Amino acid sequence: MKRIRQYLGIVVALVCYYVVHEGAHWLYAVSHGVFKQVNVMALGVQIDVFRDQLTDTQLGWFCLVGPLATLFSALVLVMLRNKICQVRSKIFRACAWYASIVMLLLDPLYIGFMYRFVGGGDMNGIKLLVPEIWVALCFCVVAVLNAVVLFKVLLPVYTQSFKEK
């Protein structure tokens, strides 16, 4: 049962990530009247826009809202950790644990340095707002800080909650 809970938690976490991250892109695109389509790709989902209808600054913000949304949701999950760990359902707690990991680390690691290996993604737009090196450095710092939060704040609470119930 533990292994099923882990796999389910990972799948739910990834779905939550795409809903939050791509959902923020979609909301921005729809609110600016530039939404074109949703692309399903090998590495996930992408919101496509009519680029010619966006200024560089708007494209930069379009690309930045996804990572900001995931970081905000990570903050919410961290703040609610004690309430989440009081829930009796181990499946729910496992999903929240893996969602916390994904929301805390995926975008900071990707925009911090992994983007270089897969075409740039959101960095291609964000660097229209701020120089690429500063964006990468900031996201690397956020990744390190989030890793500290993960291991020092979340891990002990979740570990204890799975021992108790």
Side-chain angles (χ1 to χ4, degrees):
M1 186 63 178
K2 179 181 176 182
R3 187 71 61 202
I4 292 170
R5 214 174 33 243
Q6 289 171 331
Y7 289 132
L8 183 61
I10 292 167
V11 168
V12 168
L14 291 173
V15 168
C16 287
Y17 169 81
Y18 280 114
V19 167
V20 170
H21 182 101
E22 298 302 331
H25 289 312
W26 179 80
L27 284 172
Y28 187 92
V30 167
S31 71
H32 284 77
V34 296
F35 174 72
K36 186 176 185 179
Q37 64 188 12
V38 176
N39 296 323
V40 178
M41 306 163 69
L43 293 175
V45 179
Q46 177 188 55
I47 301 300
D48 196 6
V49 296
F50 293 104
R51 168 62 177 108
D52 58 328
Q53 296 178 19
L54 289 171
T55 66
D56 285 352
T57 301
Q58 289 172 322
L59 181 62
W61 279 105
F62 167 78
C63 291
L64 187 57
V65 295
L68 290 178
T70 60
L71 290 174
F72 178 77
S73 66
L75 176 64
V76 170
L77 287 168
V78 170
M79 290 176 11
L80 294 176
R81 68 189 178 278
N82 292 323
K83 295 273 188 211
I84 291 168
C85 288
Q86 291 174 356
V87 173
R88 291 187 56 120
S89 169
K90 285 187 176 184
I91 292 173
F92 178 82
R93 284 184 276 138
C95 292
W97 166 245
Y98 287 108
S100 297
I101 294 169
V102 168
M103 299 298 184
L104 282 167
L105 297 178
L106 191 59
D107 279 335
L109 290 173
Y110 179 76
I111 296 173
F113 69 92
M114 290 174 15
Y115 74 91
R116 292 178 176 97
F117 307 108
V118 287
D122 287 333
M123 178 61 95
N124 292 330
I126 298 169
K127 68 184 180 184
L128 297 171
L129 298 173
V130 180
E132 182 175 346
I133 187 68
W134 292 111
V135 175
L137 284 172
C138 286
F139 274 88
C140 283
V141 168
V142 169
V144 169
L145 293 174
N146 285 355
V148 170
V149 167
L150 180 67
F151 288 104
K152 296 290 185 181
V153 177
L154 292 181
L155 183 59
V157 174
Y158 276 94
T159 299
Q160 184 61 37
S161 80
F162 280 103
K163 285 181 182 176
E164 291 175 355
K165 298 177 177 160

